[in-house]
Amino acid sequence: MKYHAKKCGIRYQPPAIILVYEEVVEGSDGKKRQRIMPIRNFSKFSDCSRAAEQLKNNPRHKPYLEGVSLHQLEKLFGVLRGHLRGHKLSETLEEIRRDTTLDPDEDLNKLDDKELAKRKSLMDETYEKNRKRKDDPNFQYNVEVEFTQQLESCEWDAESEDDA
């Protein structure tokens, strides 16, 4: 049976992920249902990405969470972790926003492997969100764009032009 996720949220006491979903049944309107997935062994020191992966890969919850992105689950676990640390919701959301947005001026060479993987997954997610497919109504094949802003040339770039 297929399930279509509609809403996903968090409950603080006792900690749980709450999913509102519809059962996808041919020939009838899907009935909205709610699934409560308890969160066990999660503390203010827990890793949100690891907890989200474990929940998403749990055999009992996997069919229901197919329509929920791992990134969204990580955010929900981040909100719970902020609550357990005693932070206000606005502070926690600001911290999550800082961690989940890409800074174009950030030097990715200075990041450790875990943070670099997180930034790469954010880049992939942004790419997929902005990607134009052949099925899209605004799709155009072979778009040519002229850039008016001139970039400064580098020394190595000038030398390669002389060699040609």
Side-chain angles (χ1 to χ4, degrees):
M1 184 170 287
K2 289 285 250 178
Y3 304 100
H4 182 68
K6 292 292 189 182
K7 295 180 187 178
C8 194
I10 190 117
R11 181 177 70 188
Y12 292 138
Q13 206 54 287
I17 299 284
I18 300 175
L19 179 71
V20 176
Y21 66 94
E22 285 182 353
E23 292 180 0
V24 179
V25 181
E26 289 185 35
S28 68
D29 291 336
K31 186 175 181 182
K32 284 191 179 182
R33 297 185 180 269
Q34 178 176 315
R35 183 171 182 86
I36 299 174
M37 297 167 267
I39 299 171
R40 296 183 179 92
N41 303 323
F42 189 82
S43 71
K44 59 184 177 181
F45 305 110
S46 297
D47 183 11
C48 296
S49 58
R50 186 173 181 185
E53 284 178 27
Q54 286 177 347
L55 182 67
K56 193 159 174 86
N57 293 328
N58 185 321
R60 294 182 74 183
H61 306 303
K62 192 172 186 171
Y64 300 94
L65 292 173
E66 283 181 5
V68 180
S69 72
L70 188 62
H71 184 66
Q72 183 178 3
L73 288 174
E74 287 176 16
K75 280 185 177 180
L76 291 173
F77 276 102
V79 169
L80 178 61
R81 184 174 63 185
H83 174 75
L84 293 174
R85 289 179 176 173
H87 297 157
K88 293 181 182 176
L89 181 61
S90 58
E91 294 172 358
T92 303
L93 291 176
E94 178 61 28
E95 182 182 331
I96 291 171
R97 187 198 58 76
R98 253 185 284 115
D99 289 343
T100 58
T101 54
L102 295 170
D103 181 14
D105 298 327
E106 182 178 26
D107 187 3
L108 300 178
N109 291 322
K110 294 181 180 179
L111 298 177
D112 62 347
D113 291 341
K114 185 177 178 182
E115 286 296 316
L116 183 62
K118 189 184 289 187
R119 296 296 192 278
K120 284 184 177 183
S121 70
L122 284 171
M123 289 180 201
D124 290 341
E125 190 172 308
T126 305
Y127 171 77
E128 285 299 324
K129 189 175 13 173
N130 296 326
R131 181 178 169 190
K132 298 276 188 192
R133 293 188 171 85
K134 290 182 180 180
D135 305 345
D136 293 340
N138 297 336
F139 177 77
Q140 291 179 340
Y141 183 75
N142 199 15
V143 177
E144 294 183 17
V145 178
E146 279 192 39
F147 296 99
T148 57
Q149 182 182 7
Q150 291 291 332
L151 298 176
E152 296 178 24
S153 62
C154 297
E155 291 178 18
W156 64 267
D157 194 23
E159 290 175 12
S160 64
E161 288 178 3
D162 294 339
D163 294 340

